[in-house]
Amino acid sequence: MPILRPLIGMDKLEITDAARRLGTFEISIEPDADCCTLVRAEAPGDAHVGARGERGRVAPGSSAARRVGVRRRLGRGVRVPAMSPTLTFLGAAGTVTGAKFLLAADGTRLLMECGMFQGLRELRARNWEAPPVEPGTLAAVLPRTRTSTTPATCRAWLATASGADLLLSGHRRPAQDHAAGRRAASGGGSRSSATAREATKHRPALPLFTTADADRALGLVRPIAFEQPVRSGAPSVDARFRLSGHILGAVRPSRSSPADAGSCTPATSAATTCRSCAIRSRWRARTRLLVESTYGDRLHPAGDATPVVEQAVRRAADRRGWLLIPAFAIGRTQDILYLRAGARRSRAHPEAARLSRQPDGHRGRPGSTRAHPEEHDPTWRASSRLASARSFLARFQLSSHGRRLQEAERHRRARHHRRRQRHGALAAASSITSAIACPTQRTTVLFVGYQAARRGTRGPAAAATAPRRSRSSADRPRTRRHHDHGRPVRPTRTRRRSSAGFAASRGRRR
Amino acid sequence: MTYCVHGEPSAAAALRDAIERELGWRWPLSPPTGQQIDL
């Protein structure tokens, strides 16, 4: 019977002799948890950690300092092999949001996507943690449809850059206002103060980012066209934005070597796309494919969502009020705009109904649909549906975001601000409707997204909240109380409608 | 190699099953946060 020694090939004495011959024996006896950490790079793909450490950026006595010392003793004759390109999952792993994928090769680091966590409180708490990768070490950030406030230069595809301007401009003010409302509540003795004090762990309440942060982040965005290479500083890293799916801004950063020059598909690439787009694409064997699994166990409901939207539009028009659709996703916003465009062309919707997707009435571009038609599938691009939508969007921009609306928005903001000072805080459980300021019965809110977490998030609580009772209906039976984060929801007077037609539902698993 | 991201564990598991069953792609994975792979 053969006896296998621990390392099969060589025993300890033979390995020691080999280490002495190679000049690595002194490293292996260094007092460290694992001598392998003394010769490896500090970060994935970072082959120059020793040089960076020698500039005095490592703490004395740290593992990095020992590594620098070892390398000095090694001298220049010993070559530290470069790390192979790696991809590290720093977010959107086991959850939907917070996508961050670190691509590292030849000492260059690119961050694919830089999304924020959303949903449950424990996920949102991660947004307050230090970034998982030092932004200053990144050559570039390559976002899809979201942006971030990292100090690294952000190379964004044209449509994504437009979307970042739209989203950050629309959300920076509510973020500050929300925190201000919480601060006012925690300092006052209003009836909402207890709720507001529980809504945040910070004393005083702080916004996740400020207007200055948003402006600074927008200043770092550099629009990149399709197929335009992102200069990362490493010759073998070739990151380009390529059409990889139907999602706005879906990209395919890739790493290519000189041997791959001229190849339409690099030999090594990492792509993020959806399932159907992945099936249609032809991938090489070495491709690492990242597939979105958000809807892995959900199906879209049968039927048409158009009647629900039309009903909501007609109601808002009849009451001469607002129709607000928190779409939560750019792709879903596209669907709604397409639907509205079709209805408008068929004159199914009244002219007076207005549609706003920005909570503060931002005079923004109506998304990438009109400005970046190159994103769309060629057959879809040529369809009359898109042409119709573009025409509608152009008119929508002129009619709905005109000066009159801006003036009305200023008055509304002033009223809302006074009311919030009087009451002390935003209604905690209906923060969505409060943030978009729809205090009257004329306003209709149409929820079109799938609310993944039934408890612990504000979306389902706001969608299910019963309308506030008027004085004349005081003798009616009390409506069921809904809860958000364990706190009772304060009813609002807005009318809420929900449509499941725009989002796949887990209850319809096949 | 295929990695299922952007999804809750149940959704990722369902997609992994579907990928193996319908496409014949072998061993799709759901990477945990912090996992590093070689390209």
Side-chain angles (χ1 to χ4, degrees):
Chain A
M1 175 180 293
I3 300 175
L4 303 179
R5 287 180 289 184
L7 296 178
I8 300 180
M10 292 185 289
D11 62 19
K12 185 176 180 179
L13 294 178
E14 292 169 335
I15 293 173
T16 302
D17 292 340
R20 291 184 190 279
R21 287 197 306 273
L22 295 172
T24 58
F25 177 74
E26 296 299 324
I27 303 174
S28 64
I29 61 174
E30 277 288 321
D32 202 83
D34 180 6
C35 65
C36 297
T37 62
L38 298 177
V39 293
R40 76 177 185 188
E42 184 181 41
D46 190 352
H48 308 293
V49 62
R52 195 172 68 224
E54 287 166 2
R55 287 198 295 265
R57 295 177 58 183
V58 296
S62 65
S63 178
R66 287 197 298 273
R67 192 183 304 119
V68 172
V70 167
R71 289 190 176 181
R72 281 175 175 164
R73 274 188 285 167
L74 280 174
R76 296 182 179 180
V78 178
R79 175 180 175 272
V80 178
M83 300 287 288
S84 61
T86 59
L87 184 72
T88 307
F89 300 91
L90 299 176
T95 185
V96 177
T97 57
K100 299 178 192 67
F101 308 115
L102 180 64
L103 176 66
D106 302 339
T108 296
R109 311 170 92 188
L110 299 172
L111 190 63
M112 298 163 53
E113 305 198 36
C114 194
M116 296 171 63
F117 289 97
Q118 303 172 53
L120 297 174
R121 171 176 286 190
E122 54 266 29
L123 290 175
R124 285 182 278 122
R126 298 185 191 178
N127 293 326
W128 294 90
E129 299 174 354
V133 55
E134 176 59 42
T137 65
L138 297 172
V141 179
L142 308 171
R144 274 197 319 166
T145 58
R146 304 174 184 88
T147 186
S148 65
T149 55
T150 65
T153 302
C154 182
R155 311 282 191 214
W157 172 63
L158 289 169
T160 304
S162 302
D165 187 11
L166 183 68
L167 292 173
L168 277 179
S169 299
H171 287 284
R172 55 190 175 183
R173 178 59 63 182
Q176 282 187 289
D177 287 352
H178 204 117
R182 288 171 171 174
R183 281 199 299 271
S186 59
S190 69
R191 58 183 174 181
S192 303
S193 59
T195 300
R197 275 194 292 269
E198 296 171 2
T200 176
K201 64 179 182 180
H202 301 283
R203 298 292 182 274
L206 298 172
L208 186 58
F209 59 90
T210 64
T211 300
D213 294 332
D215 290 338
R216 198 159 49 245
L218 289 173
L220 293 170
V221 175
R222 302 286 183 272
I224 297 289
F226 268 149
E227 298 296 339
Q228 180 181 346
V230 175
R231 304 297 179 189
S232 64
S236 64
V237 177
D238 178 19
R240 300 167 188 258
F241 289 92
R242 288 176 170 162
L243 191 61
S244 299
H246 72 281
I247 302 173
L248 273 179
V251 298
R252 188 146 60 103
S254 57
R255 177 187 182 273
S256 63
S257 63
D260 299 319
S263 169
C264 61
T265 304
T268 303
S269 65
T272 56
T273 183
C274 70
R275 177 184 171 189
S276 58
C277 299
I279 294 171
R280 287 189 312 199
S281 303
R282 290 173 293 181
W283 305 97
R284 289 191 176 185
R286 288 173 56 195
T287 297
R288 306 296 191 267
L289 181 63
L290 277 58
V291 184
E292 288 208 353
S293 58
T294 308
Y295 299 103
D297 59 349
R298 304 179 201 167
L299 288 176
H300 282 278
D304 188 5
T306 306
V308 179
V309 178
E310 288 187 355
Q311 184 185 16
V313 171
R314 287 190 181 282
R315 181 190 183 279
D318 292 342
R319 293 173 179 262
R320 304 183 67 82
W322 291 86
L323 170 61
L324 300 163
I325 307 177
F328 300 111
I330 290 181
R332 193 172 297 124
T333 305
Q334 269 190 306
D335 289 342
I336 295 167
L337 293 176
Y338 281 138
L339 190 151
R340 287 281 293 120
R344 188 183 178 91
R345 192 171 60 167
S346 64
R347 300 186 183 280
H349 287 177
E351 186 80 15
R354 304 200 186 284
L355 184 69
S356 174
R357 61 172 296 273
Q358 281 298 306
D360 63 349
H362 177 259
R363 191 173 59 87
R365 290 171 288 278
S368 307
T369 312
R370 182 170 60 91
H372 305 286
E374 71 278 7
E375 160 70 12
H376 296 273
D377 186 274
T379 55
W380 200 21
R381 191 189 313 163
S383 69
S384 58
R385 187 185 183 197
L386 177 59
S388 170
R390 292 168 64 184
S391 174
F392 159 72
L393 289 167
R395 282 188 288 171
F396 165 71
Q397 186 179 21
L398 292 175
S399 62
S400 290
H401 293 295
R403 179 175 299 175
R404 190 175 55 180
L405 179 61
Q406 292 182 33
E407 292 175 353
E409 185 64 21
R410 279 199 292 272
H411 290 299
R412 183 199 62 73
R413 278 181 169 279
R415 289 198 306 272
H416 183 59
H417 183 63
R418 287 195 296 270
R419 186 181 65 253
R420 194 166 57 212
Q421 285 184 325
R422 189 165 61 248
H423 290 299
L426 296 170
S430 55
S431 59
I432 292 176
T433 51
S434 295
I436 55 184
C438 41
T440 69
Q441 292 184 357
R442 289 183 176 182
T443 303
T444 302
V445 181
L446 178 62
F447 291 87
V448 295
Y450 171 64
Q451 308 296 335
R454 288 297 170 186
R455 295 186 65 86
T457 58
R458 296 187 173 93
T465 302
R468 182 192 301 175
R469 292 179 302 160
S470 61
R471 292 182 179 178
S472 59
S473 61
D475 53 344
R476 294 176 186 170
R478 293 181 64 84
T479 55
R480 179 187 171 197
R481 294 178 70 87
H482 297 274
H483 291 76
D484 170 34
H485 296 131
R487 300 182 302 274
V489 168
R490 203 175 90 186
T492 63
R493 285 183 291 191
T494 56
R495 297 296 172 183
R496 279 160 294 274
R497 297 289 184 272
S498 296
S499 172
F502 293 95
S505 174
R506 183 170 293 155
R508 298 178 177 86
R509 180 173 178 176
R510 182 160 52 192
Chain B
M1 185 61 73
T2 305
Y3 298 90
C4 296
V5 295
H6 281 286
E8 304 294 338
S10 59
L15 182 61
R16 288 199 311 269
D17 294 342
I19 288 175
E20 279 196 280
R21 184 177 63 251
E22 299 175 16
L23 302 179
W25 297 359
R26 300 183 64 185
W27 305 320
L29 302 172
S30 296
T33 301
Q35 179 170 332
Q36 184 182 99
I37 61 172
D38 291 330
L39 296 180

